[in-house]
Amino acid sequence: MNHIKSLAIKAIAALVLLFVVLGLVYEMPFGDVLFIALTLGVISYLIGDLFILPRTNNTVASISDLVLAFALIYMMSEGLEPTGEWMVPALISSIGVAAFEAFFHKYLSRQMENNSSTPNAPGRMNLGTEASEEFDPKDNYDK
């Protein structure tokens, strides 16, 4: 898998989405939007796409990206522009990022399948259960 290409796609998508929401609607300066988008792209790629997605599924990874994006966008917006109220813009932006992530995870999963020679991706936890006969605890004490 080409990490540079995937990271570039993610950073550009985050920049476009954050520029529309934070820059155009809420009038945040472009430099701040660019800094938030690059930081979000790198951190969410490392945590969400390389760590969580291979071990879980698209839904869990998208929800974790929603939470991560909200926390990161809100904290960075408050730090860069302390005069504004950034809760609602961070929530709107993180929902948009999570929607993009759902499609991006499908792209990444296809890339992993094409590059993997084994049927299961490394690190994927295929958990199973074991069944046995149930024992009645009273039977053990009656003897």
Side-chain angles (χ1 to χ4, degrees), residues 119-133:
N120 294 327
R124 169 119 11 218
M125 297 195 287
N126 292 323
L127 303 175
T129 59
E130 184 176 323
S132 66
E133 292 183 23

Side-chain angles (χ1 to χ4, degrees), residues 22 25 48 59 66 97 120 143:
L22 298 177
V25 176
T59 305
L66 172 78
V97 167
N120 294 327
K143 296 180 183 179

Side-chain angles (χ1 to χ4, degrees), residues 1-12 45 104 107:
M1 177 171 59
N2 189 354
H3 294 292
I4 301 296
K5 180 181 175 185
S6 299
L7 192 57
I9 291 170
K10 188 174 191 107
I12 290 170
Y45 184 73
F104 186 69
Y107 164 76

Side-chain angles (χ1 to χ4, degrees), residues 2 4 22 29-30 35 39 41 45 47 50 55 65-66 69 74 77 80 85 97-99 107 110 128 134 139 141:
N2 189 354
I4 301 296
L22 298 177
F30 180 76
F35 182 59
T39 305
Y45 184 73
I47 295 173
L50 295 182
R55 290 167 177 79
D65 280 329
L66 172 78
Y74 180 69
S77 297
L80 294 170
E85 174 57 42
V97 167
Y107 164 76
R110 276 186 264 127
E134 296 294 325
D139 290 341
Y141 294 111

